[in-house]
Each structure stands twice: as structure tokens, then as C-alpha cells.
Amino acid sequence: MLLGRVAGTVVASRKEPLMEGLALLLVRQLDVDDTETGSYVVAVDSVGAGVGEVVLYASGSSARQTANTRDRPVDAVIMAIVDTWEVGGETVYEK
Amino acid sequence: MLLGRVAGTVVASRKEPLMEGLALLLVRQLDVDDTETGSYVVAVDSVGAGVGEVVLYASGSSARQTANTRDRPVDAVIMAIVDTWEVGGETVYEK
Amino acid sequence: MLLGRVAGTVVASRKEPLMEGLALLLVRQLDVDDTETGSYVVAVDSVGAGVGEVVLYASGSSARQTANTRDRPVDAVIMAIVDTWEVGGETVYEK
Amino acid sequence: MLLGRVAGTVVASRKEPLMEGLALLLVRQLDVDDTETGSYVVAVDSVGAGVGEVVLYASGSSARQTANTRDRPVDAVIMAIVDTWEVGGETVYEK
Amino acid sequence: MLLGRVAGTVVASRKEPLMEGLALLLVRQLDVDDTETGSYVVAVDSVGAGVGEVVLYASGSSARQTANTRDRPVDAVIMAIVDTWEVGGETVYEK
């Protein structure tokens, strides 16, 4: 999984039927020191994340292992909202 | 998933039987600010996307989770046409 | 999928039994303007591609979705020989 | 698999139900000469690794092949703690 | 698949039970001209490869398609020892 910050939303009305009802969020990837890496992903939200929140997301087939992404053409899912992380005993981020 | 712009088409007459009947589109990857990243993918179209349109595509095994890509040797699929996306409350792209 | 040009062949006599009888081709990845990117892959040929030909290849689990790669330890397959591709209405490559 | 050093921990209270009870560790990727590459991953711990330890981690669907990650939205797992590795007959790292 | 040269070995005594009995080799990735790329992977050996040998390895779920890696948390496997490869009719490497 990778750390990311929800940066925005994507709206798509014409889509695969299996994509109906899924919230699509733009997530900027974060480095371990809480800086943006420049990479992003559009992920399905499975935990009610909002813009600005720090999240964990999973990619690939693992992204289809949640109740609302199973068997859908989805390769990234937000499956946790991060409260805090620490590196070497120091808190890097706290919600 | 990633954002991309359909740049063109690929024609291949000699192919795996399982590839018959699939539309192959060249998609240039877009960054969150709607600039091209320099990366591309050849994706199967599952939503009737046209050249110039902004789309969402899924990669890997997730690309086989649509009606017309299931069980086929396909690792990228366009499964939505993007209407709009916004970052930090500002619209970056609108169809 | 990605575009590539078949650059050569790989011979391996000592191998997993499941690899018997598969043709292994060296494929250089092509960019959308038909230049080489510097990346390559060794792919199983499922369409009778020859050195110098431009092909489409699929990676990951999708590479196991052809008759001769199913259930084999293969992560890249050539599943089409490209006739032509165009970008923005102009032909970039023609066989 | 890749070599990594456990750098810290991630805490997330709001998450997919399937993520309950999993320890999330921040792992910095190591190069073969035991230097950090700059990349990282958040991996589920399946072997009781602690901060500072050198580990092996697997990514993608392979990360779901342990007792505590099966069928969960997890794309990286620590499945071994490294005792030692050597390159060209010389020990690079020893626990 | 990619070409690599076996550079060394990894020893891990504390590990997932499913990792018991697998030989872990450090493999440096090779370019098509037989130079090292700087990337590496720790792969399970399924063909009895030794340090210094040039091998083919598969990644991702395809790495679980051999008798000794099936259903294990393994994302890279050596499944062939390379005898020779050629590019443009010239032999680049010969065992």
C-alpha cells in the first residue's frame, strides 16, 4: 500500500455499468516524510474519505478485495484513513 | 486508474483469436493538471471513446473485469469517459 | 498493452517443465512515435512474430490468457502483430 | 521480492473491515548493497518484524498468499526477516 | 520476463511457513546488451541456478505458476537458465 492525500474528485457519467455508484477520488502519492512525490492515482473510495485527508490505498488485483470493488474494473482502492504514522520513533503525520 | 487522452488507434489483423472484435486505442497518460506525462498505453475500449476524449483506464488483471475483456489477454481497458475533474475545489478539466 | 519491436530471440534449455515448447522473443518497447524507449521484455510469442516486426504485448496475469501460456510462469505475451497505428489522424507506422 | 528495512508504523482507525487486526509497517526499500533506494511501501507484517529490522516483502496478488492477508485489500506483505545476504561471495548484511 | 544474472543468496530463518524450503536468490536485472540496469529482485529458484548464471525470471502472479511456488507469497521466480540470446542476428550472450 502507499500513502496519499486526497486531492480532488473525478466525475464520469458515461462508463462501464460495473463502475456505477463508485466514488472516484484523485489521490496524490505521499513520501514517508509527508511530501508529495508527483505521482497520483484515481482510486475508488471505500471508507468515506474527503478531500485533504491522508489515506492508504492498494493497487492491482488487491484493489478488488473490498465489498464495493469486487469483480469491478478497478485497480486502486482507498481502504483506510490514516490517523498517524511515525518513522524512527518520531511522528511524521498526525490527523 | 489513471487519466488519459485518446491519441489514436492501433490496427492489428494477425492476432490471438481472443483479441478479435476489440477496439484498440492509444491513450496518452495525463497528469492531475491535464498535461501529458509522456507515458502511454494501448487499451481496449469498453465505452465507445473517441480520439481526443479524456478517459479513465484500468491496468492489470482489473482490465479483464468488463464484459468484453473477460478472459482475454488484455492488460488495459478504458472503462469511463471523464466529464470533469477538480483538484482543491478548482475544475481542472471539463468536457 | 504496449507497442514493441521484436529484436531477437532467447534460448534456454534448462527450464521449468511448463516452459517447454514456448518461443521466447526479446521485444524492445516502442513509444507512440515509433522510437525505442530503452525498455525491453522477454515475451512468449503466440502469433508467429518474427524479428523486426512490430507487435503488441500484454503483461502480468493477462499474459496467461492465451491458449499456449495458460497456467504457465509467463508474465509477457505477444498477442498481435501491428499493421498500422495512427496518432491525431496521421499514420505513425505502417507494416 | 525486495529487501527493505522497517522504518516505522502506520495507524488507521477508520478502515475497510477486512483491514482489522493487521499490523501496518512502513518499509524503506533497500538496494543490494544495503543502501536505501528512496522508495517505500506500507506492508502488512506477517512475521512479527520490528522497527529497524531487514525484511523481505512481496507485492501484488502474492501479498495475499499468507494466512492473515488472504482475500484482504492488501498489496504488500512482509513474509520473512532477513538473517544475512551475500553478493559475489561477500556478506553484505548480517543481522 | 526479464534477463538477470544471479548475484548472491538471501538467508531468512524467521519467515512465513509457506516460505519454507525455497531457495532465495538475488538477481541483478540485465539489459538486452548484457549490462546491469541497477535494478534487482529476490527470486525463488525453480531450476537450480547458481551464482553468476544468466537466468530468466517472471514477476507477479505468474511467479506462482511453478510446482514449488504455487499458492506461496512469492512474486518473482527464476524459471529458466539462459543458454544464449541474440539481437539483430548477433549473439549478445552465450553461456
Side-chain angles (χ1 to χ4, degrees):
Chain A
M1 290 73 73
L2 290 171
L3 298 160
R5 184 168 274 116
V6 180
T9 54
V10 177
V11 178
S13 51
R14 190 157 134 212
K15 57 195 163 193
E16 246 286 308
L18 288 164
M19 295 301 292
E20 292 293 340
L22 301 178
L24 298 170
L25 297 181
L26 257 165
V27 181
R28 290 189 198 269
Q29 190 189 323
L30 293 174
D31 221 328
V32 292
D33 57 2
D34 195 16
T35 55
E36 297 182 355
T37 65
S39 292
Y40 80 98
V41 74
V42 177
V44 168
D45 179 23
S46 75
V47 289
V51 173
E53 280 190 298
V54 172
V55 297
L56 265 182
Y57 62 95
S59 301
S61 60
S62 302
R64 302 197 308 271
Q65 308 294 317
T66 74
N68 61 344
T69 56
R70 197 164 306 274
D71 298 328
R72 297 176 193 252
V74 160
D75 64 11
V77 72
I78 295 169
M79 58 355 162
I81 295 174
V82 174
D83 294 321
T84 179
W85 84 76
E86 55 176 59
V87 171
E90 301 210 11
T91 301
V92 176
Y93 166 84
E94 192 152 18
K95 198 182 170 176
Chain B
M1 290 73 72
L2 291 170
L3 298 160
R5 184 168 276 116
V6 180
T9 54
V10 177
V11 178
S13 51
R14 189 156 134 213
K15 58 193 163 193
E16 246 287 308
L18 288 164
M19 295 301 292
E20 292 293 340
L22 301 179
L24 299 170
L25 297 181
L26 258 167
V27 180
R28 290 189 198 269
Q29 189 189 324
L30 292 174
D31 222 328
V32 292
D33 58 2
D34 194 16
T35 55
E36 296 182 356
T37 65
S39 292
Y40 80 98
V41 74
V42 178
V44 168
D45 178 24
S46 76
V47 289
V51 174
E53 280 189 300
V54 172
V55 296
L56 266 182
Y57 62 95
S59 300
S61 61
S62 301
R64 301 198 307 272
Q65 308 293 319
T66 74
N68 60 344
T69 55
R70 196 164 306 275
D71 299 328
R72 297 176 192 252
V74 161
D75 65 9
V77 72
I78 296 169
M79 58 354 162
I81 296 174
V82 174
D83 294 322
T84 180
W85 85 76
E86 55 176 59
V87 170
E90 301 209 11
T91 301
V92 176
Y93 166 83
E94 192 151 21
K95 197 181 171 176
Chain C
M1 289 74 71
L2 290 170
L3 298 160
R5 183 169 276 117
V6 181
T9 55
V10 178
V11 177
S13 50
R14 191 156 133 213
K15 57 194 163 193
E16 246 287 308
L18 288 163
M19 294 302 291
E20 292 293 338
L22 300 179
L24 298 170
L25 297 181
L26 258 167
V27 181
R28 289 188 198 270
Q29 189 188 323
L30 293 174
D31 221 328
V32 292
D33 57 3
D34 194 16
T35 56
E36 296 181 355
T37 64
S39 292
Y40 80 97
V41 75
V42 178
V44 168
D45 180 23
S46 77
V47 289
V51 173
E53 281 189 300
V54 173
V55 297
L56 266 182
Y57 61 96
S59 300
S61 61
S62 302
R64 301 198 307 273
Q65 308 293 319
T66 74
N68 60 344
T69 56
R70 196 164 305 275
D71 298 328
R72 297 175 193 252
V74 161
D75 65 9
V77 72
I78 296 170
M79 58 353 161
I81 295 175
V82 174
D83 294 321
T84 180
W85 85 75
E86 56 177 58
V87 170
E90 300 210 12
T91 302
V92 176
Y93 166 84
E94 191 152 21
K95 197 182 170 177
Chain D
M1 289 74 71
L2 290 170
L3 298 160
R5 184 168 275 114
V6 180
T9 54
V10 178
V11 177
S13 51
R14 190 157 135 213
K15 56 194 163 193
E16 245 287 309
L18 288 164
M19 294 301 291
E20 291 294 337
L22 300 179
L24 298 170
L25 297 180
L26 257 167
V27 181
R28 290 190 198 269
Q29 189 189 324
L30 294 174
D31 223 327
V32 292
D33 57 2
D34 195 16
T35 56
E36 297 182 354
T37 65
S39 292
Y40 81 98
V41 74
V42 177
V44 168
D45 179 24
S46 75
V47 290
V51 173
E53 281 190 298
V54 172
V55 297
L56 266 182
Y57 61 95
S59 301
S61 60
S62 301
R64 301 198 307 272
Q65 308 294 318
T66 74
N68 61 343
T69 55
R70 197 164 306 275
D71 298 329
R72 296 175 193 254
V74 160
D75 64 10
V77 73
I78 295 170
M79 58 354 160
I81 296 175
V82 174
D83 294 321
T84 180
W85 85 76
E86 56 176 59
V87 170
E90 301 209 11
T91 301
V92 175
Y93 167 84
E94 192 152 20
K95 198 181 170 176
Chain E
M1 289 74 72
L2 289 171
L3 298 160
R5 182 169 276 116
V6 179
T9 54
V10 178
V11 178
S13 51
R14 190 156 133 213
K15 57 194 162 193
E16 246 287 308
L18 289 165
M19 294 302 291
E20 292 293 339
L22 301 178
L24 298 170
L25 297 181
L26 258 167
V27 181
R28 290 190 197 268
Q29 189 188 325
L30 293 174
D31 222 328
V32 292
D33 58 3
D34 195 16
T35 55
E36 297 181 356
T37 65
S39 293
Y40 81 98
V41 75
V42 177
V44 168
D45 180 22
S46 76
V47 289
V51 173
E53 282 190 298
V54 172
V55 297
L56 266 181
Y57 62 95
S59 301
S61 60
S62 301
R64 301 198 308 271
Q65 308 294 318
T66 74
N68 60 344
T69 56
R70 197 165 305 275
D71 298 329
R72 297 175 192 253
V74 160
D75 64 10
V77 72
I78 295 170
M79 57 355 160
I81 295 175
V82 174
D83 294 320
T84 180
W85 84 76
E86 55 176 58
V87 170
E90 301 210 9
T91 301
V92 176
Y93 167 84
E94 192 152 21
K95 198 182 170 176

